[in-house]
Amino acid sequence: MKVLLIGSGGREHALAWKIAQSPLLDALYAAPGNPGIADHATLVQLNVEDHAAVIAFAKEKAIDFVVIGPEAPLVAGLADDLRAAGIATFGPSKAAAQLEGSKGFTKDLCARYDIPTGAYQRFKSAEPAKDYVRAQGAPIVIKADGLAAGKGVTVAMTEAEALAAIDDCFDGAFGAAGAEVVVEAFLDGEEASFFCLSDGKTALALATAQDHKRVGDGDTGPNTGGMGAYSPAPVMTATMVERTMKEIIEPTISGMAKDGNPFSGVFFAGLMITAKGPELIEYNVRFGDPECQVLMMRLKSDLLPILYATATGTLDRVDAEWRDEAALTVVLASKGYPGAYDKNTPIAHIPEATEEAKVFHAGTALKDDRLVATGGRVLNVTALGKTVTEAQAHAYALADRVEWENGFCRRDIGWQAVAREKA
Ligand code: AMP
Ligand code: GLY
């Protein structure tokens, strides 16, 4: 099979690394990719926003299958256009990608199909939103409706904070994403991420993970795209997984199909495990970054036939086997991230991968044949271990061997699980 992978982050490096191990693979291309992905794929400079150019490239190289990593091309309808051109594609249609692209869309789906989530209202102007907040009281959650790079959510502990967040949204802090606002009940509990494939009819549960969104140790400081993750998430017991499938994933699959937007791709469900059980915080319609890195480390099965079955409606014929070990990834980021940071800082050394540990590339590039950091999140040091505690020790041992002066990382990735394992 000839495969084209779209994307350039740590997530796509992990996908490329796994796909490259498939005996079914004849050739792997990545657009635009990164220097880590170049170890497994031929990099192609394609403008991914130009769907005709992607299709022309796929035809020219006789690509059998396109795997789309990030959300932006999905929300822009790249999967629809590829499929219309007769090319099998992993990733949902533009209509189904609204599950990530519009929080209001997802909340309305939950309301229609009785999927547990926080009570909510949608607003197109500030005053009625503020009245609703005053009536509900704090804590309460204010969300820009559209894609806001993870920054459109305010968990307001006071009414004043909530009112200010509403003004921010309607004053254009998140551009068009904030033209509509969702006000949502605060859910109290432990968060977990759940990953599940669907071909529109069948669901295949993958694995669970926990992310660390804040930049600082002890979950302090501003939100980021994710500073590290581990899998599995201990809060997601077998019972919780079963309930999530029944109460959240299955009604989503049947509801989307009933509404004429069958979902094909990966559900990345952000859950709050409350006293009542699993409740949906949000859906993403692609793998998490860096959650994908820990999932791929733990996946024993060949990834390629699983993704292909998802894309071609044959998910009932495949299964996914997982290692019993835990996996943990530590993000090395440029000093200053998520604020301003220097670009093109030199990375002098990345240690070799072993069977148990690997450094994935995210925001790296080659400049005059030297590896440099170009992004905020730059490297994902990922390791396996019998426990999260052991995976954490392996990951930090490897991270400490990376030579990159402008890099930093959190030193406590996995702390909740480590504390549980000690107890
Ligand atoms: P989101 O971008 O929707 O994932 O929200 C970002 C973060 O805000 C989540 O990871 C949660 O930590 C928090 N959050 C979102 N919605 C709620 C809610 N209804 N109750 C409590 N926390 C929330
Ligand atoms: N790590 C969170 C995300 O990929 O959205």
Side-chain angles (χ1 to χ4, degrees):
M1 202 185 294
K2 289 188 178 161
V3 179
L4 169 64
L5 172 67
I6 306 287
S8 65
R11 164 181 51 212
E12 286 77 25
H13 188 186
L15 292 172
W17 169 74
K18 240 347 240 187
I19 291 171
Q21 295 170 38
S22 175
L24 302 175
L25 184 74
D26 296 311
L28 179 60
Y29 297 89
N34 68 35
I37 296 172
D39 288 344
H40 317 289
T42 306
L43 303 192
V44 225
Q45 291 314 317
L46 270 178
N47 176 6
V48 172
E49 285 169 24
D50 182 350
H51 298 184
V54 177
I55 292 165
F57 174 82
K59 298 259 179 199
E60 178 200 323
K61 297 290 182 194
I63 299 290
D64 303 292
F65 186 37
V66 178
V67 176
I68 302 177
E71 61 275 22
L74 295 169
V75 171
L78 180 58
D80 308 64
D81 290 342
L82 284 163
R83 281 194 278 264
I87 302 161
T89 303
F90 178 81
S93 67
K94 179 176 181 164
Q98 286 180 89
L99 278 179
E100 174 160 0
S102 164
K103 305 217 183 262
F105 175 91
T106 301
K107 298 296 281 188
D108 288 352
L109 181 97
C110 289
R112 255 195 322 281
Y113 297 106
D114 226 1
I115 297 167
T117 187
Y120 75 103
Q121 294 256 327
R122 304 174 70 166
F123 297 98
K124 287 206 156 91
S125 62
E127 274 325 304
K130 289 182 176 177
D131 288 343
Y132 181 72
V133 162
R134 288 188 195 102
Q136 299 293 316
I140 195 155
V141 183
I142 312 300
K143 299 184 174 184
D145 181 75
L147 287 182
K151 295 181 184 108
V153 175
T154 303
V155 180
M157 297 321 270
T158 64
E159 203 174 289
E161 226 182 306
L163 299 177
I166 290 170
D167 280 332
D168 277 353
C169 282
F170 288 113
D171 288 349
F174 309 110
E180 185 173 333
V181 164
V182 173
V183 181
E184 180 181 310
F186 173 80
L187 298 172
D188 199 11
E190 187 169 348
E191 272 188 82
S193 301
F194 179 67
F195 292 87
C196 178
L197 297 172
S198 171
D199 61 2
K201 318 176 287 278
T202 306
L204 175 65
L206 294 179
T208 63
Q210 232 143 7
D211 190 12
H212 297 63
K213 286 211 160 80
R214 304 297 191 103
V215 75
D217 283 14
D219 294 329
T220 55
N223 267 328
T224 69
M227 294 301 290
Y230 58 92
S231 170
V235 67
M236 290 301 286
T237 57
T239 313
M240 281 305 156
V241 169
E242 208 175 297
R243 287 190 57 183
T244 302
M245 289 299 288
K246 253 209 183 72
E247 296 168 25
I248 297 177
I249 302 290
E250 285 167 14
T252 301
I253 293 173
S254 60
M256 291 291 284
K258 224 177 274 171
D259 294 350
N261 306 316
F263 183 90
S264 134
V266 60
F267 288 115
F268 163 7
L271 304 174
M272 189 70 86
I273 309 304
T274 70
K276 285 194 278 180
E279 297 196 49
L280 184 72
I281 297 178
E282 63 160 1
Y283 272 126
N284 297 304
V285 298
R286 34 84 194 170
F287 284 103
D289 189 345
E291 291 89 336
C292 186
Q293 291 79 312
V294 285
L295 258 47
M296 292 306 117
M297 279 304 266
R298 288 191 57 227
L299 182 63
K300 268 204 267 189
S301 310
D302 185 352
L303 177 67
L304 188 51
I306 296 177
L307 297 183
Y308 193 71
T310 306
T312 54
T314 53
L315 200 53
D316 54 339
R317 296 188 211 153
V318 297
D319 214 346
E321 268 194 88
W322 300 89
R323 287 173 177 260
D324 292 330
E325 289 108 311
L328 182 141
T329 188
V330 176
V331 171
L332 301 193
S334 293
K335 284 177 189 160
Y337 174 81
Y341 52 83
D342 288 343
K343 295 218 169 126
N344 298 319
T345 60
I347 301 170
H349 176 70
I350 294 183
E352 283 293 310
T354 64
E355 180 71 6
E356 312 271 84
K358 172 151 184 72
V359 180
F360 293 109
H361 289 231
T364 68
L366 283 175
K367 288 260 151 76
D368 304 323
D369 282 340
R370 291 178 58 205
L371 189 68
V372 295
T374 51
R377 296 188 298 162
V378 173
L379 298 168
N380 311 136
V381 185
T382 313
L384 290 164
K386 282 195 208 69
T387 57
V388 175
T389 308
E390 198 180 292
Q392 186 195 52
H394 290 162
Y396 280 112
L398 193 66
D400 289 339
R401 289 173 46 219
V402 172
E403 291 169 29
W404 173 35
E405 256 173 45
N406 198 48
F408 79 98
C409 63
R410 275 182 63 164
R411 299 300 311 187
D412 65 344
I413 300 303
W415 66 269
Q416 300 103 318
V418 169
R420 266 180 214 241
E421 286 173 358
K422 279 206 183 106

